[in-house]
Amino acid sequence: MPTTVKAYAATSATEPLVPTTIERRDVGPHDVRIDIRYCGVCHSDIHTARGEWGAMNYPIVLGHEIAGVVAEVGAEVTRFRVGDRVGVGCLVDSCRECRYCRRGDEQFCAEGYVETYSGTGRDGRPTQGGYAEAIVVTEDFVLRIPDPIALDVAAPLLCAGITVYSPLRHWGAGPGTRVAVVGLGGLGHMAVQLAAAMGAEVTVLSQSLKKQEDGLRLGAAHYAATSDPDAFTRLAASFDLVVNTVSASVDVDRYLSLLAVDGTMVNVGIPEHPVSLDVFSLLMRRVSYAASNIGGIRETQEMLDFCAEHGIAALVETIGAEQINEAYERVVASDVRYRFVVDTSTLA
């Protein structure tokens, strides 16, 4: 029989999130039931809750940065045991048969992957996320959290971490490369740590210098304020890779001017409105403008193991469930260093 668990849900695009209960499916042969300990607050949660990415079917339990402990496993589960420290990220299923799934890129599933919340599971029921006491997920989409990483600081790695790790790996960040990270927020502070651990020379590009000390402590070699009128001239053609983590619209042509020959600018932040660019910004140095969407299960596990090996973790502010609505407002106001994490033991 399905299990009823406590949760926090959005009931409309305009109302605050409220306590509720939801049903989780019974544990099937290949399923893992996870007692959720922490769930990160991602800006995507806010966009979804407020209907900013399209109409939603309410109520929705948000949260796709889930860290917890295995409470029950199905009869045919082989990879996990009760008591294991595990996580769940942005996807909980895919077709598993298309060429993208077979190569470990479930985020590009030809049939469309199943999102952790606001999706439709194989049972036809809407998926509900991690602002809850527990979740049931097929074992193929459960990740092992290495022992050196505490569960609270591990939670944001399941979205923020993999969102920046994947493009850094794909576009070859490493020794001898020059990487610029635009924005030092939830995504940016992870990108700096990861790129530096990969061996790249990292520069933070932020609106002001108010987080400079943080950026340098996290591994950046340089820090520049984009509000400085001379910054773009001084840094022209300086970088092999620019990772833009901000969700606000930026002057794409100005940032493309920072790329060296054959460099790439990658968007991982999603601006609210379409952007435009001048093709001359691309052709003069054969540069590329791209975007990247999370990562597959294999790469996400690789990222977690990399973080454990290099002592990388998210910087978090842990909150109770009753503070979620306040946290949403603070995220929108950029008033968090650097990720809110909900302690799910506080669910009413």
Side-chain angles (χ1 to χ4, degrees):
M1 294 292 292
T3 303
T4 300
V5 301
K6 297 175 184 176
Y8 247 70
T11 58
S12 80
T14 56
E15 297 297 319
L17 277 66
V18 296
T20 188
T21 58
I22 58 172
E23 284 192 346
R24 296 298 196 191
R25 70 173 184 263
D26 195 11
V27 175
H30 297 282
D31 285 338
V32 175
R33 181 167 66 84
I34 301 165
D35 285 344
I36 300 172
R37 296 286 188 262
Y38 299 96
C39 186
V41 175
C42 178
H43 209 139
S44 300
D45 300 348
I46 302 171
H47 288 306
T48 302
R50 296 179 175 180
E52 293 169 352
W53 286 347
M56 292 290 130
N57 292 319
Y58 298 96
I60 306 171
V61 175
L62 292 308
H64 56 205
E65 297 180 340
I66 299 167
V69 176
V70 174
E72 182 181 353
V73 297
E76 297 180 34
V77 169
T78 59
R79 296 173 49 234
F80 300 98
R81 297 182 300 177
V82 171
D84 285 351
R85 304 164 74 255
V86 294
V88 177
C90 302
L91 57 164
V92 292
D93 212 341
S94 70
C95 81
R96 312 190 209 186
E97 297 174 354
C98 71
R99 61 174 178 163
Y100 305 113
C101 286
R102 290 199 306 270
R103 75 183 193 192
D105 284 330
E106 296 93 346
Q107 76 275 26
F108 301 129
C109 176
E111 301 298 322
Y113 66 81
V114 178
E115 296 176 278
T116 305
Y117 59 75
S118 75
T120 302
R122 288 190 171 189
D123 59 2
R125 299 173 61 191
T127 57
Q128 303 285 5
Y131 300 177
E133 290 180 306
I135 190 170
V136 177
V137 180
T138 182
E139 73 168 324
D140 289 343
F141 288 79
V142 177
L143 297 140
R144 189 175 302 280
I145 295 176
D147 288 339
I149 309 176
L151 290 179
D152 56 346
V153 299
L157 302 180
L158 280 307
C159 176
I162 187 57
T163 294
V164 292
Y165 181 89
S166 186
L168 287 169
R169 275 290 189 232
H170 183 79
W171 277 279
T177 62
R178 300 160 298 172
V179 175
V181 175
V182 183
L184 193 66
L187 293 173
H189 94 288
M190 291 305 310
V192 170
Q193 294 181 79
L194 289 164
M198 291 173 183
E201 180 182 336
V202 182
T203 299
V204 175
L205 304 176
S206 187
Q207 287 183 311
S208 72
L209 298 178
K210 67 180 182 179
K211 296 181 182 177
Q212 182 173 14
E213 184 178 337
D214 285 357
L216 298 177
R217 180 168 52 84
L218 290 168
H222 314 284
Y223 200 107
T226 55
S227 56
D228 177 354
D230 297 325
F232 286 88
T233 301
R234 187 174 70 254
L235 297 172
S238 292
F239 303 108
D240 304 299
L241 179 62
V242 173
V243 180
N244 178 20
T245 72
V246 301
S247 297
S249 296
V250 300
D251 185 334
V252 174
D253 296 303
R254 291 187 82 198
Y255 284 93
L256 290 171
S257 75
L258 302 178
L259 292 170
V261 173
D262 289 330
T264 302
M265 176 176 170
V266 183
N267 260 47
V268 291
I270 305 174
E272 185 177 351
H273 302 293
V275 299
S276 62
L277 61 87
D278 185 337
V279 172
F280 276 103
S281 299
L282 303 175
L283 65 83
M284 296 307 292
R285 289 181 311 287
R286 199 169 57 191
V287 303
S288 301
Y289 183 42
S292 182
N293 176 31
I294 57 173
I297 296 301
R298 186 186 311 150
E299 189 174 45
T300 305
Q301 187 64 61
E302 177 187 299
M303 177 273 305
L304 288 167
D305 295 340
F306 182 88
C307 288
E309 179 184 353
H310 293 274
I312 295 171
L315 301 182
V316 305
E317 181 177 335
T318 303
I319 61 171
E322 72 283 357
Q323 297 172 278
I324 290 176
N325 291 299
E326 177 189 351
Y328 273 25
E329 297 303 326
R330 288 181 57 191
V331 169
V332 173
S334 299
D335 178 26
V336 55
R337 289 190 177 182
Y338 283 89
R339 206 70 162 182
F340 284 116
V341 172
V342 180
D343 177 351
T344 57
S345 70
T346 62
L347 287 163

